[in-house]
Amino acid sequence: MENRTLGNSGTSVSHLALGTMTFGAESDEATSHAILSDYAAAGGNLVDTADVYTAGASEEIIGRWIAKNPADSERMVLASKGRFPMGTDANDLGLSRRHLRRALDASLTRLGVEHIDLYQVHSWDPLTPLEETLGFLNEAVVQGKIGYYGFSNYTGWQLTKAVMTARGRGYSLPVTLQPQYSLLVREIEAEIVPAVLDAGMGMLPWSPLGGGWLTGKYTRDTEPTGETRLGENPQRGMEAWEKRNAQDRTWRIIDTVTGIASERGVNASQVALAWVAAKPGVTSVILGARTREQLADNMASADVELSNEEFGRLDDVSAPTFSDYPYGGPGMEQRSRSIDGGR
């Protein structure tokens, strides 16, 4: 695997990260521990979790693996997140100093560690002053509870405002953004990716396989069944079957991915992951495997280097559609400029 810096920090991480949302839900503890050990053996070193993953069980499972595997766990760069509800009280969620203090301490306890390398706020909070959130995160860095902090699911203006506020107050700066990003979901390229690049941060894309769509295991107009995420819940979140199946773009992308995979003699998922990993600003791609076999398949994407021609085919077929303004052609032309001038 390739090593890259964790955003604008000096910490080195593998370009494939291990997501652990499945731990304690789709993957039992024994399987989860085996996945962690397989990931470590393959050279991976960035493990991403969150307090809300299986209501804290994911962090607890990781904590028990850390205790049993001191040598491997010492190499790991540990990332977690806080923001969403872990209880029913009005203050059991959000980015207030009160909630984040309790959320971070609880994550440290479940993980059985004194320090989390990367602590991320899971989403924007419209009710908490940004200065309050950033002040807490800066204090956590100073206190040694966290090494760095980052954001997840922020829009471009939210990220830029946070960076400028932190810089203006002399706080530690955020190093990463964790957005949804895949061949099926490229809208972040309009504003969010430029904001990340402008800030010198790195991205940790989640759902790089589009919730399983880009594995090539689904067939057009045949609703999935069985032990897959959509088979168990066709209405699952943003990757729900009915909406995506109805879009011609979905199947044009899948056909192109599977075509390149067939030409290469590799799996579709490996092609889709290789595309994401090569995009500007990407630090590490978060893999969400529920089995050891899925992890091995996804990790093999490290050996796939797309040609310029293959990359161009994937870019073209998956290009997001924008209206003329502000992100379509005419809108972009208004913000461009030729070095040679002219009318």
Side-chain angles (χ1 to χ4, degrees), residues 34-239:
I35 287 173
L36 282 161
S37 294
D38 287 352
Y39 175 72
N45 78 333
L46 177 56
V47 175
D48 179 76
T49 188
D51 56 2
V52 293
Y53 291 170
T54 324
S58 175
E59 289 182 323
E60 291 171 349
I61 289 171
I62 294 169
R64 288 189 283 272
W65 180 85
I66 288 173
K68 293 177 181 177
N69 299 271
D72 282 338
S73 61
E74 182 65 24
R75 290 195 310 104
M76 291 300 153
V77 176
L78 190 58
S80 193
K81 298 181 282 295
R83 193 277 196 196
F84 291 123
M86 290 294 286
T88 58
D89 186 75
N91 287 310
D92 284 341
L93 77 164
L95 300 184
S96 68
R97 186 183 301 273
R98 183 181 191 279
H99 175 65
L100 285 180
R101 176 177 60 81
R102 296 185 176 197
L104 175 56
D105 286 347
S107 287
L108 290 167
T109 297
R110 285 189 290 267
L111 290 163
V113 298
E114 297 180 351
H115 174 90
I116 291 174
D117 297 298
L118 175 64
Y119 192 64
Q120 303 154 103
V121 293
H122 217 150
S123 183
W124 178 262
D125 178 358
L127 301 182
T128 301
L130 183 58
E131 294 79 2
E132 179 178 342
T133 301
L134 295 175
F136 170 81
L137 294 168
N138 185 67
E139 290 171 10
V141 172
V142 172
Q143 293 167 357
K145 289 186 174 182
I146 65 175
Y148 309 104
Y149 71 91
F151 308 124
S152 181
N153 302 313
Y154 271 37
T155 63
W157 74 265
Q158 291 165 354
L159 183 145
T160 298
K161 182 176 181 179
V163 170
M164 297 306 294
T165 301
R167 185 173 294 154
R169 289 180 171 250
Y171 293 159
S172 296
L173 296 177
V175 299
T176 54
L177 174 72
Q178 191 172 134
Q180 182 179 187
Y181 194 22
S182 72
L183 281 160
L184 290 170
V185 181
R186 292 184 57 188
E187 287 77 6
I188 68 167
E189 294 175 9
E191 284 279 3
I192 297 173
V193 172
V196 169
L197 295 175
D198 179 68
M201 296 166 62
M203 291 191 297
L204 307 175
W206 59 268
S207 197
L209 294 177
W213 283 85
L214 295 170
T215 63
K217 61 187 174 185
Y218 301 133
T219 304
R220 188 166 195 169
D221 298 331
T222 303
E223 186 170 309
T225 59
E227 294 184 358
T228 65
R229 291 183 179 180
L230 286 183
E232 293 168 354
N233 180 11
Q235 304 306 315
R236 180 188 175 98
M238 287 177 276
E239 63 254 24

